[in-house]
Amino acid sequence: MNKITVIGAGHVGSSVCSSLLNQGLAEEIALIDLNKDLVTGEVMDLSDASCILDSNRSIKEGTYDDILDSKAIVITAGLSQSLGVSQGRMAGLTSCLKIMTSIASQIKERNYQGFIIVASNPLDVMSYYAYKLSGLKSNQVIGTGTLLDSARAELVLAKELKVLPNEVKTMILGEHGSHQFIASSLTTVKGEPLLSYLEKKKINEVKDFIDGIEKQVNRYGYSIIEKKGATYYGVANSVARIIKAIQNDEKIVLPVSNYVDDVYGIKDTYLSLPCFIGKNGIEGIKEVRLSSNEQEKLIEASSYLHSCIDIKVG
Ligand code: NAD
């Protein structure tokens, strides 16, 4: 039985359930939230949707005992996204950590040994605490990280360069937040390295061009929230993509938030790097050649994330 527990039944949690059921990645979902009416309503609505597609896939109101036979736990519990528009994704950090502490203690109490996928913001800090507080090994705790930002970067680059999104391959690395950056040295357009593609297209102000792309990617989520209150489909499919890679033992490389210790001089931090994802969760960080400027940005991201962790829990 492929069972998954989803914690948090808000915009993101309910969309995760919808993605998992529609894509056939869960036979049973247990949904948990402090708001019981919300869970009941979502379970009724999602049960309808799932029954139309395949009546063998089901969703129910869960309790923490449901994690015992779950292959994965998805954590989406958190604060309203509108807070982030004015204050950034680190908004309400202390409250977020309280939420993660209460969830992780339930997981640890039950000596759970599956996977945790974290979607809640501030993403890298919440992933770090999920790892530190749950008792799981770091390969079992994965943050959706910059998987979503990378998709956004492909869309933005494609629009700016007037090519199709599937002709652009890129990764955003670092923090899922303001300390993220585009890995230009890993970016290709129509199979050609970005920098030589820009040269051919006579785009001479390369730094300005890349800074402009990064700004647009960074603003992308906030623009959605300003218009419709929250973003959820993209992160839901990011969760589904990670779970699919684990289930199928794909060994695919995805930019996800993972425990980084002694890589590029970074210690004891969760942030996004290109990771191999397979049946053991995170099966390694792919060695990539980042430029010195990109390495600096990565170290800046890790220092920033460290400062958030130290201040709030030290
Ligand atoms: P929401 O307000 O719609 O839902 C959050 C839910 O969490 C609420 O229903 C609340 O009752 C529940 N909750 C709070 N504390 C809980 C606890 N201790 N146990 C169980 N449930 C609890 O928010 P949302 O729009 O669904 O966003 C959820 C989280 O996802 C936020 O942190 C948001 O910033 C984050 N997010 C991440 C990404 C990403 O790319 N990683 C994208 C969008 C949103």
Side-chain angles (χ1 to χ4, degrees), residues 258-274:
N258 74 118
Y259 186 61
V260 183
D261 202 26
D262 276 337
V263 180
Y264 299 108
I266 296 168
K267 286 199 175 297
D268 192 33
T269 313
Y270 257 78
L271 51 70
S272 284
L273 283 173

Side-chain angles (χ1 to χ4, degrees), residues 152 219-232:
R152 289 171 176 169
R219 278 291 314 153
Y220 202 112
Y222 297 126
S223 307
I224 299 173
I225 298 167
E226 280 161 7
K227 289 174 173 56
K228 58 175 268 190
T231 97
Y232 31 90

